[in-house]
Amino acid sequence: MRLLDLIKQAGSDAVNAGYPVSIFTGNVVQINPLEVSLDPQREPLTEDFLLVPESLTHLELDLKHTHSTGEGTTEEALADPILIRKGLEQGDVVLLLRMQGGLKYIVLDKVVEP
């Protein structure tokens, strides 16, 4: 075997031995700071170990404005913020992807019952 092939094989073996990517479900234990439990017997994963996509974060738009009615008076409209997405909430079941090496988890999405 050539040296280059041995180096490639050693690299491949190291990757394969290092916790390949896996999929899990977890429960959101708390939001601020975020904690997700994979197993009730283990400590929950904290924010340091979780990567959360923007699509799972809370988003509100404040569209409050005033406009003139044409009679010299002004009117306030849309006084309350508009909720676009709720984000993660305590009790949500989430789908997690453990990254290679096992130290970080990507929160892929919420799991919903059909």
Side-chain angles (χ1 to χ4, degrees):
M1 213 175 203
R2 297 179 334 174
L3 179 59
L4 181 58
D5 293 330
L6 287 172
I7 293 170
K8 286 181 183 178
Q9 184 63 47
S12 176
D13 290 346
V15 167
N16 292 334
Y19 297 109
V21 173
S22 298
I23 297 175
F24 298 90
T25 57
N27 292 301
V28 177
V29 177
Q30 70 179 39
I31 297 302
N32 196 6
L34 180 61
E35 289 186 359
V36 175
S37 175
L38 297 178
D39 180 350
Q41 308 304 321
R42 294 175 43 190
E43 290 291 316
L45 299 169
T46 61
E47 288 181 333
D48 296 334
F49 300 97
L50 298 167
L51 299 173
V52 180
E54 181 182 19
S55 61
L56 293 176
T57 61
H58 183 86
L59 178 62
E60 286 183 359
L61 293 180
D62 185 2
L63 300 176
K64 180 178 172 179
H65 65 281
T66 57
H67 57 269
S68 173
T69 61
E71 308 274 323
T73 61
T74 58
E75 194 173 274
E76 189 173 284
L78 301 172
D80 296 325
I82 296 174
L83 178 65
I84 303 299
R85 59 179 179 259
K86 294 190 300 185
L88 294 174
E89 296 179 321
Q90 185 175 353
D92 283 345
V93 177
V94 291
L95 190 61
L96 300 159
L97 180 70
R98 184 181 67 197
M99 296 171 61
Q100 189 151 349
L103 297 178
K104 292 273 189 183
Y105 292 77
I106 300 171
V107 181
L108 297 174
D109 210 344
K110 292 182 188 184
V111 177
V112 295
E113 296 293 323

